[in-house]
Amino acid sequence: MVVLLSGNGSNLQALLDQQPNYSYEVVGVISNRPDAKGLQRAELAGIPAITLDHKTFPGREDYDQALITRIDQFEPGLVVLAGYMRILTGSFVRHYKNRLMNIHPSLLPDYKGLDTYKRVLNDRQRQHGTTVHFVTEALDSGAIIAQATLEIAASDDEQSLCKRVQRMEHRIYPIAVDFYTSGRLSMDDTRIRLDNIPLGKKGYQLDEQTLIEQL
């Protein structure tokens, strides 16, 4: 698979750390930002790290077409977004239909977009979490593969909540990717099957304690 990122690359690192335990292989990492730390993580792991700076292209369509060309040179079975902070064009999403995966820091379909921790706390919600989903042309709206849920503590602020959710992300993303690359996950229309059993709308469910026990 090829991983796209824009920043620190902590989810990339989690995927790399867990790679020996699962069926996937990261064969390339591409960033739209030359200074992304995730590129350094890829280089240290001996994986091709490519910069494709979006600022050097006249428009989004031109950039995404160049990105497709770079990705397809690796002939990947899956493209994984790991903190990739650009809105993808429809042509890009259609090109990788049902093989383009993202992780989002909320329990989708709730709290799409940015600032999820702040919004959840302001709304005094009792639960938060993270979602792995297929990418579609609608923002944060693709079929859900897996979710991890935690109970929000009275002492949680944005920073502590973010840290707890990210810890779950680093465990659930490799699991969800492995579902796909091992052939256990299949997709038809908008329904996902795991081991030929249809998953519910919320996908495969895990919670914070279960993930901690698995670490």
Side-chain angles (χ1 to χ4, degrees), residues 28-80:
V29 174
I30 304 175
S31 176
N32 64 305
R33 296 185 180 276
D35 59 348
K37 185 178 178 180
L39 292 171
Q40 299 174 29
R41 296 180 189 272
E43 290 172 351
L44 287 172
I47 296 168
I50 297 168
T51 297
L52 195 64
D53 190 345
H54 65 276
K55 295 179 181 178
T56 64
F57 288 81
R60 195 174 298 275
E61 288 285 353
D62 299 278
Y63 179 81
D64 277 9
Q65 187 54 56
L67 185 58
I68 287 172
T69 299
R70 284 298 188 100
I71 292 171
D72 286 355
Q73 289 173 350
F74 292 100
E75 300 182 346
L78 180 67
V79 179
V80 171

Side-chain angles (χ1 to χ4, degrees), residues 195-208:
D195 299 328
N196 291 320
I197 299 172
L199 290 174
K201 291 183 178 180
K202 297 275 188 173
Y204 185 78
Q205 292 287 301
L206 288 163
D207 58 42
E208 184 179 31

Side-chain angles (χ1 to χ4, degrees), residues 68-153:
I68 287 172
T69 299
R70 284 298 188 100
I71 292 171
D72 286 355
Q73 289 173 350
F74 292 100
E75 300 182 346
L78 180 67
V79 179
V80 171
L81 307 182
Y84 184 67
M85 302 303 291
R86 281 181 62 80
I87 295 175
L88 297 166
T89 58
S91 57
F92 183 96
V93 173
R94 290 189 295 273
H95 185 79
Y96 297 107
K97 183 180 179 180
N98 292 345
R99 56 191 182 109
L100 181 61
M101 198 176 289
N102 183 47
I103 191 163
H104 180 75
S106 83
L107 297 173
L108 294 174
D110 297 332
Y111 298 99
K112 299 176 183 180
L114 302 175
D115 299 322
T116 64
Y117 307 113
K118 180 179 180 179
R119 291 156 60 198
V120 164
L121 291 170
N122 286 345
D123 290 346
R124 300 184 183 277
Q125 296 286 356
R126 298 176 63 183
Q127 290 186 326
H128 195 41
T130 186
T131 303
V132 182
H133 64 98
F134 283 115
V135 177
T136 62
E137 294 181 55
L139 179 66
D140 298 330
S141 296
I144 293 173
I145 300 165
Q147 286 188 332
T149 304
L150 57 75
E151 299 293 324
I152 299 174

Side-chain angles (χ1 to χ4, degrees), residues 171-208:
R171 189 69 188 96
I172 197 173
Y173 216 0
I175 291 171
V177 169
D178 181 70
F179 284 165
Y180 184 93
T181 57
S182 66
R184 295 179 61 193
L185 195 74
S186 60
M187 176 81 176
D188 55 83
D189 297 326
T190 59
R191 173 165 287 191
I192 296 178
R193 296 175 180 269
L194 181 63
D195 299 328
N196 291 320
I197 299 172
L199 290 174
K201 291 183 178 180
K202 297 275 188 173
Y204 185 78
Q205 292 287 301
L206 288 163
D207 58 42
E208 184 179 31

